[in-house]
Amino acid sequence: MRHIWYTTQTEETQNLAIALAQVLRGGELITLRGDLGAGKTTFTQGLARGLGITKAVKSPTFTLIREYQGQALKLNHMDLYRVEDQYEELGLEEYFNQQESVTVIEWPEQMGAQIPDQHLDLAIRLTPDGDREIEVNARGTIYEALLTKWLGQLEGGEHEG
Ligand code: ADP
Ligand code: MG
């Protein structure tokens, strides 16, 4: 199952993420693909806001992982851009089964086949006219249900973030 949005403004991308945050229940894995400057961290900032995180979310490019406590759920934000062989030691897979957390990974390509099969995958691309194409692919039935809820949340047009 797949869906594509186009956004012109930073806030539009964040509003999509805020709506997603409203339908997360914990234990979800979200991967964010796209070039530098595509909007992966921007999306994560919206997600954080939607989860009730007030602390500023910065790209964890050098730290690889940052953790933030939200109202009900924790956000694990990973950026694997600069990861080389040390990610084995980071024990990233431990984060995937935390039922009270949502895990977001920028540059999931760096983990290759070690990314769990079931997840919500987003690819963000800059279009020739400077907009963003945001393609979401739901991998697995749980994530198909999540995408359906996300679309429903956006239709309702209510962002509690
Ligand atoms: P990445 O994490 O993918 O490297 P960032 O989110 O850090 O990218 O940077 C994206 C930049 O593009 C931000 O400065 C953001 O304000 C800007 N931007 C402009 N338009 C959009 C849009 N429609 N969606 C997301 N970001 C946008
Ligand atoms: Mg980033």
Side-chain angles (χ1 to χ4, degrees):
M1 187 179 164
R2 158 177 186 274
H3 193 83
I4 296 181
W5 290 282
Y6 290 90
T7 67
T8 303
Q9 306 289 333
T10 301
E11 293 70 28
E12 289 177 68
T13 296
Q14 290 179 329
N15 284 338
L16 289 175
I18 290 170
L20 173 58
Q22 309 310 322
V23 298
L24 294 172
R25 291 292 171 264
E28 290 93 351
L29 173 62
I30 300 165
T31 57
L32 297 176
R33 295 183 291 116
D35 292 339
L36 278 177
K40 302 181 294 298
T41 300
T42 297
F43 185 90
T44 308
Q45 287 163 345
L47 205 60
R49 220 181 105 198
L51 291 173
I53 292 158
T54 47
K55 222 178 146 198
V57 170
K58 290 185 285 178
S59 200
T61 301
F62 293 97
T63 51
L64 300 176
I65 306 175
R66 282 179 200 264
E67 298 173 45
Y68 304 88
Q69 185 59 55
Q71 227 148 50
L73 299 173
K74 203 180 100 193
L75 174 66
N76 302 318
H77 182 201
M78 304 177 186
D79 183 332
L80 303 181
Y81 184 60
R82 286 174 202 277
V83 85
E84 280 167 24
D85 48 11
Q86 76 272 36
Y87 83 79
E88 308 273 359
E89 301 148 36
L90 289 168
L92 297 188
E93 58 290 337
E94 270 182 36
Y95 290 91
F96 301 151
N97 296 315
Q98 293 180 0
Q99 285 311 305
E100 77 290 359
S101 300
V102 175
T103 298
V104 172
I105 307 181
E106 297 189 36
W107 298 99
E109 301 90 333
Q110 297 279 75
M111 276 185 81
Q114 312 216 35
I115 293 282
D117 290 342
Q118 305 219 4
H119 62 273
L120 196 68
D121 178 67
L122 276 85
I124 310 179
R125 301 177 194 94
L126 196 62
T127 71
D129 47 5
D131 292 342
R132 298 300 192 282
E133 180 192 87
I134 303 174
E135 176 182 346
V136 56
N137 277 281
R139 312 252 183 244
T141 50
I142 288 171
Y143 289 93
E144 287 177 6
L146 180 66
L147 176 52
T148 301
K149 279 205 256 173
W150 185 8
L151 293 170
Q153 180 72 21
L154 286 163
E155 256 173 46
E158 275 168 352
H159 310 313
E160 301 156 25

